Amino acid sequence: MKRNYFIFCLFSLGLFATCNPPKKSWDVREFGAVADSVTMNTKAIQQAIDACHQAGGGIVELKEGEYISGTILLKDNVTLSVSKDAKLIGSPNPMDYQSIDPFTDATGQLRGKCLVGSLNATNVGIIGGGVIDGQGEMFKKGKLLSTMKKLGVDKSEINAYASNRPFLVRFVKSTDIVVEDIELRQPAAWTCHFFQCSKIKVNKVKIYSHAHKNNDGIDLDSSSDGIVTNCDIDAGDDAICFKSTSPVPTQNIQVSNCKLKSDWGTIKFGTESMGDFKNITVKNCKIYDTKGGGIKILSVDGANISDITIDSIQMENVDMPIFIRLGERLRTYRGAPQQAVGSITNVRISNVVATARSLDESRVTPPSGVFITGTPNHKIGKVSLKNIQVNLPGGGTAEQSELEVPEDEKRYPEFSFFGVSPASGLYARHVQYLSVDALSVSLVAKDDRQGFIYSDVDNKNLNDVQID
């Protein structure tokens, strides 16, 4: 009898477990969230995330409507899902945001706040097909001043809040991250920042970021082992940027099949460049309507840049298609000691078709196709350019062909600061080895500048280099 009762109990427990499977999703409305675009939902969403984490992980869901929130932090094994009929909207109140791992960026501004973030987390993500909107325009000085007055904040504190504008999404010292099938819009600063993270997957992410200044798209900062694919980015600042605001390298990254537009630079290495950039590949991307440079590879704070492959890039209406700069600015971040001057070598750029912006649209008039420069004491190593076609408007004068290009070793590394190049097609200076195979430069109008200038280039291999 006892044996039969024991078997019955085991059967009952098994049936109970079958009828009550582990919870896998948490609807934030169950925790009091209200999707009315008015109610502040920070606490409710965070409670849903905490409950999901404590139960072993799963999906926290935002469904049907507009959810206003301040900073929410993802925890181990939690994925935030913003459904196609939902929006997560950043609060206009700067006091609703937390700062995680604060730092000062290359512009001297304090950073660290975000709308959605993670710190020391594993297996986290953002998915769902919906929208995350930072309302970054609300952090412009005039609107911010109005908000702070309503809140009774002393005027002396406003500048501090205006400087530390929140990023939209920020992962810090986290691993196994997925950001997929989501639209990220209008942050007050950078859009999607990964710092000292690893095992990153970004796929089918659409970014529109023009609400304020410093509106980068995706920043991979001292991070490794990442894949960025099928993204559509329209950024007020850099579109995809490899950074290192610490001595930890950014390495083992693959970017492919992305559509990119920028008001500053589309594919960019730097300017924050303390740690190395290694083994990074960018392929099959379209760049369009870019005002500040198509491909920009910059080591100015000590980074050793090596084994970079950029292939099959189409550029339309772009300032300065290719710009490579080794400099000696040597800025430090996060209290790290100053690095020695870095290096750039084993850079391979191939299969590029680029059309420059018109004369009246260019930051430097007349524009040029390729600009590569190290410094007198620190030369760039090996650079290979293969199958590059550049279409330029022309318009250069004979006088401009005699211009001297300043060294500016310690200055911010921007091509426009060097002024008009004396070469319309390619200007290369302070390089150890330059290989150019099939570089074609086409001019719409007459250009009396030199086509190609090689200054202090130790070794060069030139094959099929032409201008017409």
Side-chain angles (χ1 to χ4, degrees), residues 97-117:
Y97 294 88
Q98 298 179 44
S99 187
I100 54 175
D101 190 61
F103 70 103
T104 301
D105 73 1
T107 66
Q109 297 179 90
L110 182 63
R111 304 297 193 193
K113 292 181 178 179
C114 60
L115 176 56
V116 182

Side-chain angles (χ1 to χ4, degrees), residues 437-454:
D437 186 2
L439 169 61
S440 173
V441 178
S442 299
L443 299 168
V444 174
K446 183 180 179 183
D447 197 311
D448 288 327
R449 292 177 295 168
Q450 301 174 65
F452 309 99
I453 294 177
Y454 310 96

Side-chain angles (χ1 to χ4, degrees), residues 278-306:
K278 299 186 293 185
N279 191 28
I280 296 172
T281 299
V282 182
K283 286 188 174 182
N284 301 319
C285 291
K286 179 180 179 181
I287 297 170
Y288 68 104
D289 295 346
T290 289
K291 300 178 182 178
I295 299 167
K296 304 167 83 169
I297 300 175
L298 318 170
S299 170
V300 293
D301 299 325
N304 296 297
I305 300 179
S306 63

Side-chain angles (χ1 to χ4, degrees), residues 319-341:
D319 260 344
M320 186 57 73
I322 299 172
F323 175 47
I324 303 175
R325 169 60 159 165
L326 173 62
E328 304 174 19
R329 181 178 68 172
L330 300 183
R331 181 164 290 179
T332 61
Y333 308 90
R334 305 172 184 273
Q338 189 177 73
Q339 307 293 296
V341 175

Side-chain angles (χ1 to χ4, degrees), residues 420-431:
V420 173
S421 170
S424 59
L426 165 66
Y427 180 90
R429 179 177 66 178
H430 307 317
V431 181

